[in-house]
Amino acid sequence: MFIQSHVPQHAELHLLFSMITPLGWLERVPTYKEQRENITEKDLTTYGFLGYPVLQAADILMYKGDFVPVGEDQVPHVELTREIARRFNQFYGKVTPVFPEPQPLLTPTPKLPGTDGRKMSKSYGNTIMLTDPEPVVRQKLKTMVTDPARVRRTDPGDPDKCPVGDLHKIFSSPETVAKVNIGCRSAGIGCIECKGWAADALVQVLQPMQERRKKYEENPRLAWDILEAGSASASKVADATMADVRASMGMSLQYEPPKSNGSK
Ligand code: SF4
């Protein structure tokens, strides 16, 4: 665990990758289009925003991992990372490839929806935070969107089309998931009851984390120690990667004076 900006090699690799990444690859990234349509209050017409997946590729490839644990919406970013790795290897790694082509690693439930049913994102203001206390979690769940087919209490629904159903699949016990499946499809349960169960499951996951977090809130130095040690180990790996990258591109950080021809 480390702070990305404490390992400035990421910025260097990002710059070098940005030189070989065609613009069309970035413009086709689904989250780029989606966020430009959804986030209108910010100016997203910058290279930094368009090139964000290039920085992610640098973040991933710096450590030459074979797998990247991601949510479903990030799979195109891993695919782009693979394309950047392939292109770099074609240009500069003909003898020995410099980078592996990492694969996405998905869980059985790769999508975690936000309270409005869109993907959960701070930019959308639809998040349930790991730090949210129980009353806040319950309140957020209460206003969460559900399967639109359940207009009245007597209308049957489908948990596979409901963001609350997705939360159950991730956080609830198999028994509760079974109760939701039967109850929702037969209109045997109401959404308020169902959301209450989802909130119970979430709170059960969050509370032990929040307990453990208190120690670090009271003494932030403990958290900094972890981050500083993490940044130091990450830096070592990043240094080795950048040495490979510079060598394969024929770049040097050393000043080498021109060879003297003997004349004075
Ligand atoms: S009963 Fe549960 S799963 Fe079904 S629509 Fe309502 S909130 Fe969603």
Side-chain angles (χ1 to χ4, degrees), residues 146-147 150 159 162 164-165 180 184 189-191 194-195:
T146 59
D147 176 2
R150 292 208 74 180
C162 172
V164 182
V180 170
C184 178
I189 56 168
C191 289
C194 180
K195 287 173 167 183

Side-chain angles (χ1 to χ4, degrees), residues 2 83 105 122 147 178 197 204 215 242 254:
F2 63 95
E83 288 179 37
L105 200 61
K122 273 192 284 184
D147 176 2
W197 297 339
Q204 229 180 1
K215 179 170 95 179
M242 289 317 298
Q254 306 299 320

